[in-house]
Amino acid sequence: AMDGETIREVGDTATLRARYPQARFLDAHGGVIMPGLINAHGHIYSAFARGMGIRNYNPKGFLDILDGLWWTLDRNLMLPETRLSADATMIDCIENGVTAMFDHHASYGQVEGSLFAIADSAKEYGVRANLCYEVSDRDGEAKMRAGVQENVDFIDYARRDTTGMLAGLFGMHAQFTLSDETMDYCVSKAPAGVGYHIHVAEGIEDVYACLKEHGKRPVYRLHDFGILGENTICGHCTHVSDAEIDMLRETGSNVAHNPESNMGNAIGCPPTIAMLHKGVCVGLGTDGYTNDMLESLKVAKLLHQHNLHDATTAWAEAPQMLFDNNAKLAGKFFGRELGVLKAGAAADVIALDYTPLTPMDAGNIGGHVLFGMSGRNVTHTIIEGKVRMENRELVGVDKQAVLARCREAAQGLWNRINA
């Protein structure tokens, strides 16, 4: 039972309908009701890469993928494409039961106003969004400073927002594209008390660059600049040492694990299980690979079983990332209790049309989620007490019209890239 933005009570259908006879009743048709899902690390700007071909793109490794694909895409993104990329992503989130997301944005074609364009989309579709801009030296000092200013402006805007639907972090790309001077500049401009959202040791190249140019590993360098802390999210951490894991734990820093992206870029498997066992708060993200968090959950489990040659691992750790740690992260940054069905928590609730073929209870729900459910099972999505999808129909959204505009904009973007 939800009252405005909050869950009033949890109980059986008959009792609640008798207690709140005037309330509108949504029929889940015997399906599974669970808290809204949360994505700890995404890239909205990557939406229009789906199906894109780039002339003379022939990558030989991770750095070629970054420069030839992702940086080429973001160098050509203008505000209209950024906004439409956000619209498409918000629709996909709602359809997959994702009610809150942490996005790490880059659009060096047009920096100013880009986070605000995404925020406008999040407001329109009703998805909670924690946003940041990816500061980098890769396109020169002027663009770097523009990225810093976009972070500062949006963080100030988000801090004045009282809806509990928007939040901001100070975004940075990765240390192999950030000089000491830029790191100093970012820290000097970051609003007091703000956390950072940064890629850390995603590829081994980040480690090599830090050692060669700065004489220290990535996590140590972040620590020396005062960037680590309980309000900071370190994306990936694929190639971190045991000592760096200890430093992440001791500083209370958070990590976002992105299993499908790690596999797709062939950059290696991070020591995520070790981080979790040492007490690091590791959440689950997608890095823009998908908006289906249940898909990411399955891949996380399989990746670590395969990597560790241990079929008994990750059964608890993968759900811990998605259902426990993502909820902790979202609760911290949005100032609401999220990711749980209990009185007083935010009214972010989804329903899935899963019907178990074997007995299902609290003791074995994990097996049913891992082997029987996906984002496409979601039939209802409620965010902040507002019904955003009912019986798989988006409420107040002409999906086909939005996607038609996306296709037109994507074709124009691709034409510019290949001109």
Side-chain angles (χ1 to χ4, degrees):
M2 289 164 277
D3 184 7
E5 305 162 358
T6 305
I7 295 175
R8 169 79 67 88
E9 187 177 350
V10 177
D12 66 86
T13 300
T15 300
L16 294 182
R17 293 192 73 176
R19 189 164 297 168
Y20 306 104
Q22 303 305 314
R24 181 186 176 204
F25 175 71
L26 291 179
D27 192 349
H29 304 290
V32 175
I33 301 169
M34 64 169 60
L37 301 171
I38 299 157
N39 185 346
H41 182 80
H43 288 298
I44 284 172
Y45 82 87
S46 69
F48 287 175
R50 186 182 300 180
M52 178 176 67
I54 298 177
R55 187 178 295 119
N56 299 321
Y57 174 60
N58 184 27
K60 300 297 192 295
F62 182 51
L63 294 184
D64 289 345
I65 293 171
L66 288 178
D67 190 37
L69 174 59
W70 299 118
W71 297 351
T72 296
L73 176 68
D74 83 57
R75 285 178 184 127
N76 286 276
L77 274 177
M78 307 300 284
L79 281 184
E81 290 99 20
T82 292
R83 171 59 199 254
L84 284 169
S85 295
D87 291 346
T89 302
M90 298 303 167
I91 287 174
D92 210 30
C93 284
I94 292 170
E95 291 185 328
N96 283 281
V98 175
T99 58
M101 67 177 307
F102 291 74
D103 191 69
H104 198 277
H105 179 66
S107 56
Y108 278 102
Q110 195 167 1
V111 179
E112 184 179 358
S114 57
L115 295 185
F116 294 86
I118 296 172
D120 286 344
S121 178
K123 287 180 180 180
E124 179 176 340
Y125 291 92
V127 177
R128 296 185 198 274
N130 182 305
L131 309 178
C132 71
Y133 192 90
E134 179 180 291
V135 175
S136 173
D137 290 328
R138 63 181 182 259
D139 285 333
E141 183 177 356
K143 294 286 189 180
M144 177 275 289
R145 288 177 177 265
V148 170
Q149 192 61 49
E150 186 68 5
N151 274 319
V152 172
D153 291 345
F154 182 76
I155 290 166
D156 179 62
Y157 173 75
R159 283 179 166 178
R160 288 184 279 110
D161 184 273
T162 59
T163 64
M165 300 295 291
L166 281 181
L169 289 168
F170 196 104
M172 304 169 80
H173 172 240
Q175 291 176 76
F176 71 91
T177 71
L178 295 165
S179 67
D180 280 350
E181 292 76 16
T182 295
M183 298 276 277
D184 269 329
Y185 184 69
C186 288
V187 172
S188 71
K189 293 294 184 179
V194 74
Y196 298 82
H197 193 166
I198 180 171
H199 300 108
V200 179
E202 178 179 2
I204 194 65
E205 296 84 354
D206 198 23
V207 179
Y208 292 161
C210 281
L211 290 171
K212 179 180 179 180
E213 298 172 20
H214 309 288
K216 60 190 74 172
R217 294 182 64 90
V219 174
Y220 297 152
R221 187 169 179 237
L222 292 178
H223 180 268
D224 289 349
F225 277 99
I227 288 171
L228 297 180
E230 61 183 20
N231 291 325
T232 287
I233 298 175
C234 299
H236 298 283
C237 291
T238 313
H239 299 281
V240 293
S241 66
D242 287 343
E244 287 177 292
I245 294 173
D246 291 339
M247 184 170 286
L248 290 168
R249 182 196 66 234
E250 290 163 8
T251 57
S253 302
N254 309 284
V255 173
H257 176 40
N258 307 280
E260 287 173 289
S261 174
N262 292 163
M263 295 172 74
N265 288 324
I267 57 173
C269 178
T272 307
I273 304 301
M275 290 187 227
L276 288 165
H277 290 178
K278 285 192 170 188
V280 177
C281 180
V282 183
L284 188 65
T286 64
D287 207 35
Y289 212 92
T290 181
N291 293 302
D292 184 343
M293 293 308 301
L294 298 180
E295 176 184 299
S296 192
L297 171 71
K298 299 172 199 287
V299 176
K301 169 184 170 290
L302 294 172
L303 170 61
H304 294 287
Q305 289 174 323
H306 177 76
N307 182 64
L308 296 172
H309 304 281
D310 183 357
T312 69
T313 197
W315 287 92
E317 292 89 348
Q320 178 188 354
M321 286 186 278
L322 177 59
F323 294 112
D324 297 338
N325 293 347
N326 279 12
K328 291 176 184 176
L329 285 172
K332 176 188 301 184
F333 290 106
F334 290 105
R336 301 287 308 279
E337 189 169 18
L338 298 168
V340 64
L341 300 180
K342 60 181 287 190
D348 292 6
V349 183
I350 63 175
L352 300 85
D353 68 353
Y354 178 73
T355 302
L357 60 88
T358 58
M360 182 174 71
D361 55 37
N364 68 9
I365 183 66
H368 285 274
V369 172
L370 283 164
F371 292 99
M373 301 181 197
S374 75
R376 295 306 174 187
N377 286 112
V378 176
T379 58
H380 295 69
T381 299
I382 301 166
I383 310 175
E384 194 77 345
K386 295 181 176 62
V387 180
R388 298 297 179 177
M389 184 171 71
E390 182 175 356
N391 292 317
R392 289 202 174 91
E393 292 291 329
L394 294 165
V395 176
V397 176
D398 187 342
K399 176 183 176 181
Q400 295 309 316
V402 174
L403 296 186
R405 291 195 294 272
C406 287
R407 288 191 294 273
E408 182 180 2
Q411 187 63 65
L413 173 65
W414 296 357
N415 291 344
R416 289 203 306 274
I417 289 174
N418 287 306

